[in-house]
Amino acid sequence: MSARSRTPSERDPAQQAAHFRYVLRLADTSLVLGQRLGEWVGHAPALEEDLGLANFALDLIGQARLLLTYAGELEGRGRDEDALAFLRDAPDFANLTLAEQPNGDFGHTIVRQWLIDAWQLEIYAGLLRSADSRLGAIAAKALKETRYHHRFSSGWLIRLGDGTAESHERVQAGLDSLWRFTAELFAADEVDERMQAAGIAPALMELAPRWSARIDEDLQAATLQRPPGQPYPWHGRRGVHTEHLGHMLAEMQHLQRTYPGVRW
Amino acid sequence: MYTQALDTHGKEPAPAVSGESAAQAQRFQARVDAEDKIEPKDWMPDAYRHTLIRQISQHAHSEIVGMLPEGNWITRAPSLKRKAVLIAKVQDEGGHGMYLYSAAETLGISRAQMFEQLLSGTAKYSSIFNYPTLTWADVGAIGWLVDGAAIMNQIPICRCSYGPYARAMVRICKEESFHQRQGFEIMLTLAQGSGAQRAMAQDALNRWWWPSIMMFGPSDADSRHTAQSMRWKIKRFSNDELRQKFIDITVPQAQFLGLSIPDRELRFDPGTQHYLIGPIDWNEFHAVLKGNGPCNRERLEARRTADEAGRWVREAAAAHAVKQHRRTPQAAGGMEPEAS
């Protein structure tokens, strides 16, 4: 597949739009989660965790940069990574709704991280076989990083779940509060279906049971209960977000919006 | 510098206490004079040990508190590249704190004890981090001026007589010099940018210049401890020597940027080949060191809040470690890790 380029989308505008949208979703999830982790720097529970969270923020911003640059090329309207990151409003962001949820306490942050790490593990592993070799190469790099992120987040999930009564209660509360955003993780729409049909993206339906099994395994080690049901199907990937994203973007985009058109 | 409070607070180092023979002290000084490195298990005078603990822990605290003013701009960095570079930089500061706490631990104090001293306000950190970062240009100015000043002081510490401190410093200096260039590059981009960006850069220089000059500590005439630290080869140059070196290097850089140093008395003296500055406002320096700077309260509060909010996490990790240990079959009859 290495000889194949990203041509499958090039001649069909609808396919090209879906391709752009697919890459943008991955990019925005990494960007928004990286931005959230950046809020922790200097404020974590211990120096080692401070450095760890900063490292993940760096990895995720790095993934976002590669993916946004590529998305901009697929779109073909001359938008680079910064135009896409700093000059779009919330409805044009396509991240998982889970990624934009506020940090809360350390347990909350760990649960959010762990749920997304487990998701990215499946997505990036699936993309290794993508017909889009550029996306496959980005996924290969991101997968290495994500394996380490998951080792960290599942390690802390277990420590907190198994640790003290207080930590168990806090991390279970974080899980109960964030679980409702997991319905979105594997809910395929037209974009996913087109990408899957073109051999660009893995089938979400096939990844879901693997994700679920990994989640159950970690939860058992952490002595935590999997919350029942997934009541509300959030649609961050389609641009329908929670109230939190707008505030995050107001902060993140402030300089680019105040001083338009300059170099930084 | 990061350890400027050493020169203004505390008592003179005590002379050799009972139990330390004159012969031991003499042998120690001879090793120092011969540029031999003192290692953790070697005999050393108590005063040498205590001076180093204070200096290295102050240095470590400065790195940790120093994460806050720059971290203040991580969520607002104006491009993704700048954001990544800034996160990496602030992370480096945390790493420096970690090496330095480890170096101090070799002298018989724990990181927990040092943290406690920082949070209770008994240990100091550099006055520079009590100034606010109000615009993006402040991130550039800190890299350029504050890291630039830090390097002046820290390069000689790579040759410090105490081995673990000297070795930690080698790596730290490499990273600091990278940070200094990154900061200068931010300033250069702003200086070559729009009118608003140039004004932002000039404003940052106006606010950071004098505090950076004060980082070198009191003038030699008012500096305590310098002579003893020099004999022990903990310190190699006086405060004023290092300050002058910094000024001589930095003034031409400001000129290159097209920015004005906020000192009407600044002039080049052809006789000495040095830039001479106007009087330093030592009242401000002492006020900031005593806790009355613009952000002293916020910085310590942020550290205390993080420590307090993280307590349950650290307790959970310790409790889990104990449980894990009990679960391993070979644990029966073995030593248990501490739960707190």
Side-chain angles (χ1 to χ4, degrees), chain B residues 28 37 48 67 71 92 100 110 112-114 152 157 175 201 205 208 212 242 251 261 278 301 327:
Chain B
F28 173 82
K37 287 278 176 271
Y48 176 84
M67 295 170 79
D92 282 349
L100 289 164
S110 70
Q113 282 172 290
M114 289 184 270
M152 288 297 155
I157 305 178
E175 294 181 349
L205 174 58
W208 289 93
S212 302
L242 291 167
V251 171
I261 301 274
E301 203 49 50
R327 284 179 200 128

Side-chain angles (χ1 to χ4, degrees), chain A residues 31 34-35 38-39 41-52 54-58 61-62 64-65 68 81-82 85-86 105-108 155-156 158-164 166-168 170-171 221 248 251-256 259 262-264, chain B residues 64 67-68 71-85 87-88 90-95 97-98 101 111 115 136 185-186 189-190 192-194 196-197 200 302-303 306-307 309-317 319-321 323-324 327:
Chain A
L31 173 61
Q35 174 77 5
E39 295 171 15
V41 179
H43 307 279
L47 199 41
E48 284 76 0
E49 275 49 61
D50 215 308
L51 301 189
N55 222 41
F56 303 162
L58 261 181
I61 299 293
R65 293 182 65 192
L68 284 175
E81 59 179 48
D82 287 331
F86 294 97
D105 67 14
F106 184 73
H108 215 83
W156 269 108
I158 291 166
R159 257 176 237 126
L160 298 178
D162 180 56
T164 63
E166 181 186 4
S167 69
H168 180 91
R170 279 177 181 260
V171 76
M248 172 195 278
E251 183 174 348
M252 184 174 93
Q253 298 177 338
H254 138 78
L255 277 173
Q256 289 262 358
Y259 304 94
V262 298
R263 265 188 68 234
W264 293 99
Chain B
I64 300 307
M67 295 170 79
L68 298 170
N72 182 37
W73 279 90
I74 286 176
T75 57
R76 292 175 293 166
S79 72
L80 293 183
K81 184 179 170 197
R82 293 290 186 204
K83 190 189 292 290
V85 169
I87 294 171
V90 177
Q91 189 192 30
D92 282 349
E93 316 287 0
M98 210 139 77
Y101 283 126
R111 198 206 287 184
F115 256 50
W136 170 250
E185 203 263 326
I186 290 176
T189 305
L190 295 174
Q192 294 174 340
S194 69
Q197 286 176 303
M200 197 187 273
R303 287 308 323 156
D307 186 71
R311 188 182 307 280
W312 68 273
V313 176
R314 297 190 300 274
E315 286 170 357
H320 172 70
K323 288 184 187 176
Q324 280 292 88
R327 284 179 200 128

Side-chain angles (χ1 to χ4, degrees), chain B residues 143-164:
Chain B
W144 173 37
L145 299 173
V146 175
D147 293 330
I151 291 165
M152 288 297 155
N153 182 351
Q154 292 174 1
I155 285 182
I157 305 178
C158 298
R159 295 187 290 128
C160 168
S161 58
Y162 189 57

Side-chain angles (χ1 to χ4, degrees), chain A residues 48-219:
Chain A
E48 284 76 0
E49 275 49 61
D50 215 308
L51 301 189
L53 293 174
N55 222 41
F56 303 162
L58 261 181
D59 287 344
L60 288 161
I61 299 293
Q63 291 170 16
R65 293 182 65 192
L66 293 171
L67 290 163
L68 284 175
T69 299
Y70 183 34
E73 291 170 24
L74 288 170
E75 185 193 34
R77 285 173 47 201
R79 292 201 280 183
D80 64 8
E81 59 179 48
D82 287 331
L84 286 168
F86 294 97
L87 301 175
R88 278 180 300 151
D89 203 354
D92 293 326
F93 267 74
N95 55 283
L96 288 176
T97 318
L98 178 58
E100 75 204 36
Q101 297 313 302
N103 285 339
D105 67 14
F106 184 73
H108 215 83
T109 291
I110 286 297
V111 169
R112 184 188 62 200
Q113 188 66 35
W114 164 72
L115 290 168
I116 296 177
D117 288 343
W119 179 80
Q120 284 182 331
L121 274 181
E122 299 305 332
I123 299 286
Y124 288 141
L127 285 172
L128 294 179
R129 294 180 298 278
S130 174
D132 178 344
S133 57
R134 170 109 169 245
L135 192 53
I138 296 173
K141 177 183 183 292
L143 182 60
K144 284 185 202 153
E145 295 165 347
T146 308
R147 283 199 187 109
Y148 180 67
H149 300 175
H150 176 261
R151 203 189 317 157
F152 179 96
S153 64
S154 63
W156 269 108
L157 187 89
I158 291 166
R159 257 176 237 126
L160 298 178
D162 180 56
T164 63
E166 181 186 4
S167 69
H168 180 91
E169 196 178 310
R170 279 177 181 260
V171 76
Q172 181 69 54
L175 181 62
D176 293 346
S177 146
L178 292 173
W179 189 253
R180 62 206 159 107
F181 298 106
T182 58
E184 186 186 5
L185 300 184
F186 297 98
D189 65 3
E190 199 208 29
V191 170
D192 297 299
E193 282 154 14
R194 272 179 175 271
M195 290 300 100
Q196 187 198 330
I200 291 172
L204 284 174
M205 226 172 62
E206 288 168 26
L207 304 184
R210 295 163 53 101
W211 176 85
S212 197
R214 192 190 299 274
I215 290 296
D216 284 338
E217 190 185 326
D218 291 342
L219 283 178

